[in-house]
């Protein structure tokens, strides 16, 4: 069986829409109707009029789409595709943290469970976090969770003093500032592109800090011919596709038993699972209706603010 042909056939016959994050394997990105960062995927899901939406990404992305489109069938090829960052913020502990700091606006990264979003005033992604934080008065007391690196970066560039939840992504924490500095010394003409989930010593080496979509856009428009890329290696597929004459060097992680610049959760989705998921219309994401009713407000607020800010 030709898996790609079969996926295309089922995709057409069922009028399904396939969305893929930039961290998916290249073959999945190529089959998708739309490939984007977390913000674009949420924006796309909110506008989608198909009955079946296949989210080729991780669980929280499927959950966000389901919360925005409760009447649609939202499928994720492998429901066990989780996220270490979302897992670093258990809802009961986050609820205690929020309760311990009354009077704070709660801003949560989209990489969270629906239950954490339900405790949140406004959701953000790496593509809009800075601008959304800046849309609040400078003295607004803010709790920001769960990514301590993204939160510290926003505090540094905005001068805010947001209270940070102590969570992180296991992939972005792995990048080694020493190895990136050595690569830069070997290729002084290269620009260093860094995702803000990386540690501050890596962010300090960056020419550009931004979401996957921001880094891609910069690579396309830059006059530079060579880039060192410190984020999950899946983004290199689209970078190389859009800029075939430029060179993209994946930033190396520190050595160690778990050293890898690929997200093992993202890579749980495969062509075989995408095919089976379209064929069986399963596994589908379900969200507890009470949780969804509370989580939808901060997600919609993010979409409204993003539209107002032109993002
Ligand atoms: P963006 O899609 O906002 O670049 O975030 C990357 C990420 O880690 C998604 O899980
Ligand atoms: Fe989560 Fe990190 Fe994987 Fe993104 S790369 S899905 S933040 S574990």
């Amino acid at each position: 069986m030709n898996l790609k042909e079969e996926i295309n056939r089922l995709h057409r016959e069922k009028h399904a829409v396939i969305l893929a994050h930039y961290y998916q394997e290249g073959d999945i990105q190529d089959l998708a109707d739309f490939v984007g960062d977390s913000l674009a995927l949420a924006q796309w899901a909110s506008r989608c009029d198909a009955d079946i939406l296949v989210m080729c990404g991780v669980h929280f992305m499927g959950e966000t789409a389901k919360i925005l489109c409760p009447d649609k069938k939202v499928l994720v090829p492998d429901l066990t595709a989780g996220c270490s960052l979302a897992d670093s913020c258990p809802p009961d502990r986050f609820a205690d943290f929020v309760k311990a700091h009354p009077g704070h606006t709660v801003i949560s990264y989209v990489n969270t469970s629906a239950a954490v979003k339900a405790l949140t005033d406004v959701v953000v992604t790496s593509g809009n976090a800075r601008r959304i934080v800046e849309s609040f008065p400078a003295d607004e007391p803010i709790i920001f969770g769960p990514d301590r690196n993204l939160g510290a970066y926003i505090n540094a560039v905005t001068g805010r003093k947001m209270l940070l939840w102590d969570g992180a992504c296991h992939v972005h924490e792995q990048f080694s500032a020493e190895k990136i500095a050595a690569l830069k010394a070997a290729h002084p003409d290269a620009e260093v592109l860094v995702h803000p989930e990386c540690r501050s010593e890596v962010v300090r080496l960056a020419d550009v800090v931004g979401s996957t979509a921001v880094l891609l856009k910069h690579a396309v428009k830059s006059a530079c011919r060579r880039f060192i890329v410190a984020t999950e290696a899946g983004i290199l597929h689209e970078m190389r596709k859009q800029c075939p004459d430029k060179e993209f060097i994946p930033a190396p992680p520190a050595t160690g038993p778990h050293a890898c610049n690929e997200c093992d959760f993202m890579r749980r989705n495969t062509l075989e699972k995408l095919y089976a998921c379209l064929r069986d219309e399963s596994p589908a994401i379900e969200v507890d209706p009470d949780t969804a009713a509370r989580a939808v407000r901060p997600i919609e607020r993010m979409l409204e603010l993003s539209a107002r800010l032109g993002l």
Side-chain angles (χ1 to χ4, degrees), residues 231-252:
T231 188
E232 212 271 1
I235 186 65
L236 300 174
H237 179 73
E238 190 63 23
M239 286 178 167
R240 289 176 176 143
K241 214 162 132 177
Q242 292 200 25
C243 313
D245 53 343
K246 295 184 180 179
E247 186 188 352
F248 295 95
I249 306 170

Side-chain angles (χ1 to χ4, degrees), residues 21-23 36-41 58 60-61 82-83 85 109-111 124-128 147 150 169 171-172 195-197 210-215 231-232 235 263 266:
H21 190 268
Y22 289 125
Y23 295 165
D37 67 354
S38 306
L39 174 60
L41 292 177
V58 291
F60 76 78
M61 295 175 176
C83 170
L85 178 51
Y109 197 26
V110 72
N111 299 39
V124 296
T125 74
S126 61
N128 58 21
D147 189 5
L150 176 62
C169 155
V171 179
H172 288 87
H195 197 282
E197 286 175 23
S211 77
T212 43
V214 166
L215 300 182
T231 188
E232 212 271 1
I235 186 65
C263 172
M266 283 281 180

